[in-house]
Amino acid sequence: EAQVTQNPRYLITVTGKKLTVTCSQNMNHEYMSWYRQDPGLGLRQIYYSMNVEVTDKGDVPEGYKVSRKEKRNFPLILESPSPNQTSLYFCASSLAGLAGGTSSYEQYFGPGTRLTVT
Amino acid sequence: SQKIEQNSEALNIQEGKTATLTCNYTNYSPAYLQWYRQDPGRGPVFLLLIRENEKEKRKERLKVTFDTTLKQSLFHITASQPADSATYLCALKEGFQKLVFGTGTRLLVSP
């Protein structure tokens, strides 16, 4: 089954304790991205990756790191989490990047990770 | 940067009626605009994409229009059903590789 998986689905942690949220897709997609969703603010892009070893900042990258060492995986790293990073996080992937070509640019989203930082 | 405006108030309609949701953007017209459906606690699911040179796109009971003069997209669900109740998000490409989402409009279809 074609899908994007995220782990963990729920996480409660304390300020300053480094954590990683994993994201994996089995569709051989080139483009992957991370979003956070907060009430009243909607989905905001954190980072995106065009392909292996190619990443760039989205709208809210502060406090986050990413890496893309393999095409299927795109982990989100919070080196020193703070309470303002409490949010619902989504990983997404699409076949190709968002520009050019005839792709539908359809984004496939994972199930989400609800993170609470106390 | 682009600002997307979607009605934050929930839209309540009766089953069988047509639901119309609005997405307005503020800056330049994007190359395309997408619509997604999101159910509570789940990730968004892609529904339709409409390009800047397309006026209208249809898929089953769904119809999307794109008016670059008004800087607006309308999303219609005809013959709505209670199962259509969800939050609907519009998204547009900004710059080269960024996707910007609206906050979504919640649709409630009552029997």
Side-chain angles (χ1 to χ4, degrees):
Chain A
E1 180 191 353
Q3 60 182 349
V4 178
T5 56
Q6 295 178 227
N7 282 292
R9 295 288 315 280
Y10 302 91
L11 179 60
I12 301 174
T13 190
V14 296
T15 299
K17 186 176 180 181
K18 180 179 178 180
L19 65 92
T20 299
V21 184
T22 64
C23 172
S24 183
Q25 49 92 5
N26 62 0
M27 296 168 280
N28 201 36
H29 283 174
E30 290 186 353
Y31 184 92
M32 297 185 74
S33 59
W34 276 102
Y35 296 87
R36 61 178 288 175
Q37 188 172 38
D38 302 288
L41 297 176
L43 277 163
R44 293 179 293 167
Q45 193 172 44
I46 303 171
Y47 270 95
Y48 63 90
S49 169
M50 288 290 297
N51 213 323
V52 175
E53 302 292 3
V54 181
T55 63
D56 206 349
K57 297 176 181 178
D59 288 324
V60 288
E62 295 77 21
Y64 304 95
K65 282 177 57 178
V66 293
S67 68
R68 188 96 180 268
K69 298 191 187 312
E70 303 169 284
K71 197 171 186 178
R72 63 183 295 128
N73 297 322
F74 191 43
L76 179 69
I77 303 157
L78 284 73
E79 294 268 4
S80 182
S82 62
N84 64 12
Q85 292 179 298
T86 292
S87 186
L88 179 58
Y89 291 86
F90 290 102
C91 179
S93 71
S94 66
L95 181 60
L98 303 185
T102 58
S103 171
S104 71
Y105 313 114
E106 172 182 352
Q107 300 288 303
Y108 292 79
F109 282 82
T113 295
R114 188 165 292 281
L115 172 65
T116 302
V117 184
T118 61
Chain B
S1 61
Q2 283 277 20
K3 295 253 186 295
I4 300 177
E5 295 166 358
Q6 293 186 260
N7 196 339
S8 58
E9 290 184 18
L11 177 64
N12 289 275
I13 64 168
Q14 285 288 115
E15 182 176 8
K17 301 291 186 186
T18 295
T20 299
L21 284 69
T22 304
C23 174
N24 295 299
Y25 56 93
T26 56
N27 295 347
Y28 58 86
S29 286
Y32 58 79
L33 192 147
Q34 299 177 332
W35 283 89
Y36 289 80
R37 169 184 172 139
Q38 186 175 24
D39 293 289
R42 308 192 72 168
V45 175
F46 174 82
L47 296 174
L48 279 169
L49 176 147
I50 186 164
R51 300 177 189 275
E52 61 179 336
N53 61 350
E54 297 174 318
K55 295 287 187 214
E56 183 179 296
K57 202 79 168 280
R58 290 177 186 259
K59 179 182 176 183
E60 298 172 352
R61 294 184 296 110
L62 308 181
K63 184 178 85 171
V64 173
T65 63
F66 194 4
D67 189 326
T68 55
T69 301
L70 293 178
K71 297 188 178 182
Q72 181 181 83
S73 174
L74 298 178
F75 176 80
H76 307 271
I77 306 176
T78 57
S80 59
Q81 306 165 359
D84 295 326
S85 298
T87 296
Y88 292 87
L89 311 172
C90 73
L92 51 85
K93 185 172 80 72
E94 178 174 67
F96 188 55
Q97 294 292 346
K98 286 167 58 173
L99 199 60
V100 179
F101 281 82
T103 53
T105 298
R106 188 170 171 216
L107 174 65
L108 298 169
V109 182
S110 46

